[in-house]
Structure formats: C-alpha cells, structure tokens
Amino acid sequence: MTLRHLQGSGMTSQRTRDRMTKRLIEQGITDNRVLNVIQKTPRHIFVDEALASRAYEDTALPIGYNQTISQPYIVARMTELLLENKESLGKVLEIGTGCGYQTAILAQLVDEVYSVERILPLQKKAIAHTELLKLKNIRYSYNDGGWGWEDIAPFDGILVAAAPNEIPEALLQQLAIGGVMIIPVGEQGSEQFLHRVTRTENTFQIEALDSVIFVPFLAGKE
Ligand code: SAH
C-alpha cells in the first residue's frame, strides 16, 4: 500500500473525512478527542478496495464473514461514552475486533487496547490494517470474547461490538472498580439497547441508553 492510498484522494480524501466529522458533530458527538482521532484516521483502508469510496458514508459496510464495520456514528458514540468524565484510560478490552477500525480509534485514545475476535481471518485483516497505521499499543486474541481476557483483567474500560442477549458474567467480573463497559444488549430481531455498566465498590450501575442494531454476539470460535 502506498502513502497516497493511505492518505486517500477524492472520495477517500482528508476533505471527505472532514465532512464526515462535521456530520458527527451535527448528530450530537461532542468529545473533541474522539472527533480529532476520527478525523485523522483513514477509514477506507479498513474496507475492501471496491467499497473504499463509500467508507465515509454513515453506514455499516460488509467486511466479509457475515460481519460489518460499525457505522462511524456508533463508533464515535461508544468511544465518547467510554471516555466520558475520564481524563485518560489505561487498559481497554474490546470484544469483536472485526476489521479493526474501532480498535484503531481506541488505540489513539487510551493506553493499551486488548481486542478479542472469534473469526480468525477478520483478526488477520485487523492486524494488517492497524500495522499500516503503525499503532503499537494493541494486543489481539483469537477467542470467544464471552470469556473476556482473564490474564490481563481488570480493565478500566470494556467496549463490545456485538449484541448478546444478556451481559456476559465474565465481562462484569473483569471490569475494574470505577471502570465502564459499553455494550449493546438484546435479541436479534427485537429492539437492542446500548448499555453503560459502571462498576462501583460494591455494585454495578447499569443504564440502558440508545436504541441500536448490532450483529449477534456468538459463542465459540469459527
Ligand atoms: N468494530 C468492528 C465491528 C465488527 S462486527 C468493526 O468496526 O469492524 C462485530 C464483530 O464481533 C464481528 O467481527 C464478530 O465476529 C465479532 N464477535 C461476535 N461475537 C463475538 C464473541 N463472542 N467474541 C469475539 N468476537 C465476537
């Protein structure tokens, strides 16, 4: 991949990224840290060449294996919620690496990202994409994210990119005290809601926020 491809041109240019960022502001995203990182991260390198010209539309796009790259607004919203009222975040666990776009955004905003994916070829794509961007603070695991990442826990933040019917117990247990988890919850075909879980000394505070649509959180590895 050439530098020119990385920077983009025409429908993948910096101007197109600027316009996407402007739309995110109009949609209600306010955290400048998140907006700045989205503005400078080339989203087109995360999708197939044939879809590159659509990479800055506010839609989910196919990335193969029945999965989609999350919509820019959702990536921005989840990242903003994760960082809300925090100056910085140490260790963050991401479940559902996909093509690695959300991973790349997180890696530029927190100290360390630990990302779990259950479909190996997707994980390989994500590794290649984030290497192109020279991001060094990411570790990947090929596993069922329902188990979290025990060896690294506790996490200051957890971000889940697929919707389970219920919040997995292991993820709750691996959240640090004061830590925040952003996770879509709900059955496929029925209404799903983005949830924010905050762990305090002795309890979990759980809030249902926006109505969302996510691919299913599946058990086991493929
Ligand atoms: N943020 C990613 C989203 C990809 S879609 C992106 O923008 O590309 C959600 C991803 O979650 C899919 O890649 C899917 O394979 C993965 N996934 C679903 N259930 C999982 C589980 N139990 N463990 C790990 N990954 C899971």
Side-chain angles (χ1 to χ4, degrees):
M1 183 162 310
T2 61
L3 183 62
R4 187 175 153 74
H5 179 63
L6 196 60
Q7 288 170 342
S9 59
M11 289 305 284
T12 61
S13 65
Q14 185 57 53
R15 277 183 57 192
T16 314
R17 276 191 289 286
D18 295 346
R19 275 200 297 273
M20 179 177 84
T21 310
K22 211 169 144 248
R23 277 202 310 273
L24 293 174
I25 296 169
E26 286 162 8
Q27 289 170 293
I29 303 297
T30 57
D31 190 325
N32 282 325
R33 297 171 293 179
V34 177
L35 290 164
N36 288 341
V37 166
I38 287 187
Q39 190 167 16
K40 71 177 187 195
T41 305
R43 191 167 187 262
H44 62 277
I45 67 157
F46 291 86
V47 296
D48 284 348
E49 201 80 56
L51 289 172
S53 67
R54 301 191 53 200
Y56 299 98
E57 293 176 14
D58 198 27
T59 49
L61 294 169
I63 53 173
Y65 311 91
N66 274 327
Q67 304 302 323
T68 52
I69 180 173
S70 306
Q71 196 190 341
Y73 171 76
I74 281 292
V75 171
R77 174 78 177 135
M78 291 178 86
T79 312
E80 178 172 271
L81 285 168
L82 194 74
L83 291 173
E84 202 173 281
N85 300 323
K86 310 244 183 217
E87 247 165 55
S88 62
L89 272 182
K91 288 192 285 185
V92 172
L93 175 67
E94 179 192 39
I95 308 296
T97 315
C99 65
Y101 178 67
Q102 171 83 70
T103 322
I105 299 298
L106 281 175
Q108 297 172 79
L109 290 162
V110 309
D111 294 346
E112 296 165 24
V113 181
Y114 295 86
S115 189
V116 184
E117 172 59 55
R118 63 182 289 282
I119 300 176
L120 193 58
L122 282 180
Q123 186 197 54
K124 287 191 173 149
K125 281 194 196 187
I127 292 173
H129 296 152
T130 50
E131 271 176 3
L132 271 175
L133 297 182
K134 303 196 164 36
L135 298 169
K136 309 263 186 241
N137 55 341
I138 307 169
R139 273 179 64 193
Y140 292 96
S141 165
Y142 168 49
N143 209 344
D144 172 354
W147 302 106
W149 195 329
E150 183 112 52
D151 297 352
I152 312 289
F155 295 97
D156 305 301
I158 300 181
L159 192 154
V160 183
N165 295 347
E166 282 168 31
I167 302 172
E169 187 59 34
L171 299 185
L172 290 171
Q173 293 315 326
Q174 292 179 22
L175 195 58
I177 292 169
V180 171
M181 167 158 47
I182 307 298
I183 179 169
V185 184
E187 284 170 32
Q188 292 299 305
S190 63
E191 201 167 14
Q192 303 171 351
F193 284 94
L194 206 55
H195 283 62
R196 171 167 51 197
V197 182
T198 310
R199 186 170 193 172
T200 61
E201 273 309 328
N202 34 33
T203 187
F204 294 94
Q205 186 198 337
I206 303 183
E207 303 157 83
L209 306 169
D210 323 359
S211 169
V212 288
I213 302 171
F214 273 83
V215 296
F217 188 101
L218 299 172
K221 296 195 268 184
E222 239 175 60

